[in-house]
Amino acid sequence: MQAVRHVVCAMSGGVDSSVAALLLKRRGYRVTGVFMRNWDSLDEHGVCTSEKDCEDAYKVCHMLDIPFHHVSYVKEYWHEVFSNLLKEYEKGRTPNPDILCNKHIKFNYFFQYAVGSLGADAMATGHYARTSQEDEEAFQQRPTPRPQTLFRNRFEIRNPVRLHQGADRFKDQTFFLSQIPQDALKRTLFPLGELTKDFVKKIAAEAGFKHVLKRKESMGICFIGERHFEKFILEYLDPHPGNFVSVEDGKIMGTHKGWFTFTLGQRARIGGQRDAWFVVDKDITTGDVFVAPTTNHPALFRDTLRTDRFHWIAEEPPAELIKNKMMECNFRFLHQMPLEPCTVTLNMDGSVWVTLAKPVRALTPGQFAVFYKGDECLGSGKIIRLGPSMYTLHQGQERMKVAETAPAKTDHSSKPAR
């Protein structure tokens, strides 16, 4: 007789993870609920609601009659996510802590705790995502060592598990899972992958999870809470006052407290300016933040970018990319932005150049370029360099036209030949 499979479900205290645990139990698995605390709410005077979240998660586990555990990764989160976030802001980039948290905490430390310390056959989360395997295949997977070379040996994993978008495309969360390692993915279940958010809420209501249904859906970064971002970040980084500079004529439009309080594309609230101005670029050497007068100014649009070493989820890198030296796929750098067609070129160091079919607004260094083919999420790489904006290219074209039409100067300085 086959033993009952043991699944550890990550519990956040929200409706998604609560329903995930319920569905796992209905499938006949032995389920253990575990709540992770990643941020020390005591440091922030109770702004983060981790204690209330933990209490809500415990209530669900009690209602389901499953064991409940509580683990703290506050130190790990600080060193591997938050410290990285601060360094990225200092470099003028805009990081994505949600992607980093999944990579370093949930699908690393938490995964090791689930299969190692608790002896689980698999881990489960409440993400809206799917994989290419059935539950039983996940239970039969065995650990594989992480690659020590630039790329994994292509024959090391003969049947890699692929990550696919959730059935609810609006709620699909593969974007946030685009950096997770293969060894964790192949032993992870996503019980909500085939469901819509509305149906998940219906299941929660029928199960009597009233306390989680009353919760507001978490949006944004937990450790910032309800506070203004500028106020929060200035608690950790010293102010670096600088100027707002018009990208069109170099005129100083106002002053700011630090380039790291702004991201490309956002509105720059400049004192004394009645019209809206938008951030188009930053210079961390001078502290200047360049702004443009309209939300769709050509200085905000670019069609090329470069990433750092790209993380490929299943194939590293895809066979098509190796064979043809380039590959067509779809791209996004924000969770719910429309997918944009692009061409990818692989570099020797594992990074990639991305050429978009059309210019995209506010491409942002520090964010992640995430690739898709069909409904498969291929992986992601951090954006570290941008190509020229449409405004810069237009200026260059205008200067060339002027140079071509200008009359040639006669050089009278040379001596006549003897």
Side-chain angles (χ1 to χ4, degrees), residues 311-345:
H311 171 73
W312 303 100
I313 294 173
E315 295 182 85
E316 190 167 4
E320 178 186 348
L321 187 54
I322 292 178
K323 179 181 177 182
N324 302 327
K325 308 304 180 189
M326 59 177 56
M327 178 181 74
E328 293 185 353
C329 58
N330 290 316
F331 156 94
R332 65 164 48 120
F333 76 100
L334 298 173
H335 174 212
Q336 291 178 334
M337 71 172 276
L339 288 169
E340 299 288 349
C342 71
T343 301
V344 178
T345 307

Side-chain angles (χ1 to χ4, degrees), residues 318-387:
E320 178 186 348
L321 187 54
I322 292 178
K323 179 181 177 182
N324 302 327
K325 308 304 180 189
M326 59 177 56
M327 178 181 74
E328 293 185 353
C329 58
N330 290 316
F331 156 94
R332 65 164 48 120
F333 76 100
L334 298 173
H335 174 212
Q336 291 178 334
M337 71 172 276
L339 288 169
E340 299 288 349
C342 71
T343 301
V344 178
T345 307
L346 182 65
N347 300 313
M348 292 293 290
D349 61 357
S351 65
V352 299
W353 274 105
V354 182
T355 304
L356 296 157
K358 65 179 183 179
V360 169
R361 184 184 184 276
L363 292 172
T364 306
Q367 291 291 301
F368 284 82
V370 184
F371 295 160
Y372 292 84
K373 256 192 178 292
D375 71 350
E376 182 184 357
C377 178
L378 303 179
S380 65
K382 183 170 68 180
I383 300 172
I384 58 172
R385 183 176 171 186
L386 301 178

Side-chain angles (χ1 to χ4, degrees), residues 4-10 24 27 29-34 107 110-116 118-125 133-142 183-191:
V4 177
R5 298 297 190 180
H6 181 203
V7 181
V8 168
C9 185
L24 290 167
R27 292 179 192 177
Y29 303 142
R30 179 163 63 91
V31 183
T32 299
V34 181
F107 289 85
F110 182 83
F111 170 72
Q112 295 300 332
Y113 174 75
V115 300
L118 297 182
D121 296 299
M123 177 181 98
T125 74
Q133 66 180 358
E134 300 295 331
D135 287 7
E136 192 55 39
E137 293 176 277
F139 297 139
Q140 294 172 3
Q141 295 282 5
R142 291 293 172 261
D183 63 330
L185 178 63
K186 69 182 186 179
R187 298 184 71 182
T188 298
L189 309 181
F190 298 115

Side-chain angles (χ1 to χ4, degrees), residues 17-222:
S17 60
S18 299
V19 171
L22 169 63
L23 295 176
L24 290 167
K25 185 170 183 184
R26 284 181 179 176
R27 292 179 192 177
Y29 303 142
R30 179 163 63 91
V31 183
T32 299
V34 181
F35 178 83
M36 282 182 290
R37 185 163 66 94
N38 297 332
W39 188 255
D40 193 345
S41 59
L42 297 178
D43 287 348
E44 305 306 328
H45 313 292
V47 172
C48 272
T49 58
S50 63
E51 295 303 321
K52 180 67 168 62
D53 294 342
C54 184
E55 183 181 323
D56 288 342
Y58 171 77
K59 284 181 181 177
V60 170
C61 290
H62 181 71
M63 292 172 71
L64 295 177
D65 192 26
I66 62 175
F68 174 79
H69 293 254
H70 174 282
V71 291
S72 174
Y73 295 118
V74 171
K75 183 174 71 173
E76 291 84 353
Y77 190 94
W78 178 274
H79 288 299
E80 300 200 37
V81 178
F82 192 70
S83 294
N84 175 284
L85 175 137
L86 295 179
K87 291 174 184 175
E88 288 289 283
Y89 277 119
E90 287 182 318
K91 292 176 182 177
R93 299 172 181 166
T94 303
N96 190 315
D98 296 320
I99 289 179
L100 295 176
C101 180
N102 280 324
K103 176 182 179 178
H104 295 294
I105 308 299
K106 187 170 288 184
F107 289 85
N108 181 20
Y109 291 110
F110 182 83
F111 170 72
Q112 295 300 332
Y113 174 75
V115 300
S117 300
L118 297 182
D121 296 299
M123 177 181 98
T125 74
H127 287 103
Y128 290 83
R130 296 179 286 188
T131 68
S132 58
Q133 66 180 358
E134 300 295 331
D135 287 7
E136 192 55 39
E137 293 176 277
F139 297 139
Q140 294 172 3
Q141 295 282 5
R142 291 293 172 261
T144 54
R146 303 232 175 149
Q148 301 300 314
T149 55
L150 183 62
F151 296 120
R152 276 197 304 262
N153 184 328
R154 300 183 64 80
F155 300 102
E156 187 178 294
I157 302 176
R158 293 184 179 276
N159 296 298
V161 174
R162 300 179 183 278
L163 179 65
H164 295 275
Q165 291 178 289
D168 187 334
R169 292 301 170 86
F170 182 75
K171 284 298 298 180
D172 168 58
Q173 292 172 307
T174 52
F175 178 86
F176 300 113
L177 302 173
S178 60
Q179 281 275 312
I180 66 175
Q182 177 70 199
D183 63 330
L185 178 63
K186 69 182 186 179
R187 298 184 71 182
T188 298
L189 309 181
F190 298 115
L192 309 187
E194 301 289 347
L195 308 179
T196 64
K197 180 73 175 190
D198 289 342
F199 192 63
V200 167
K201 287 181 177 179
K202 183 173 182 290
I203 294 173
E206 292 173 349
F209 296 160
K210 295 179 181 179
H211 65 291
V212 298
L213 283 168
K214 291 178 182 177
R215 286 165 49 110
K216 286 201 310 182
E217 188 157 1
S218 59
M219 299 293 287
I221 304 169
C222 161

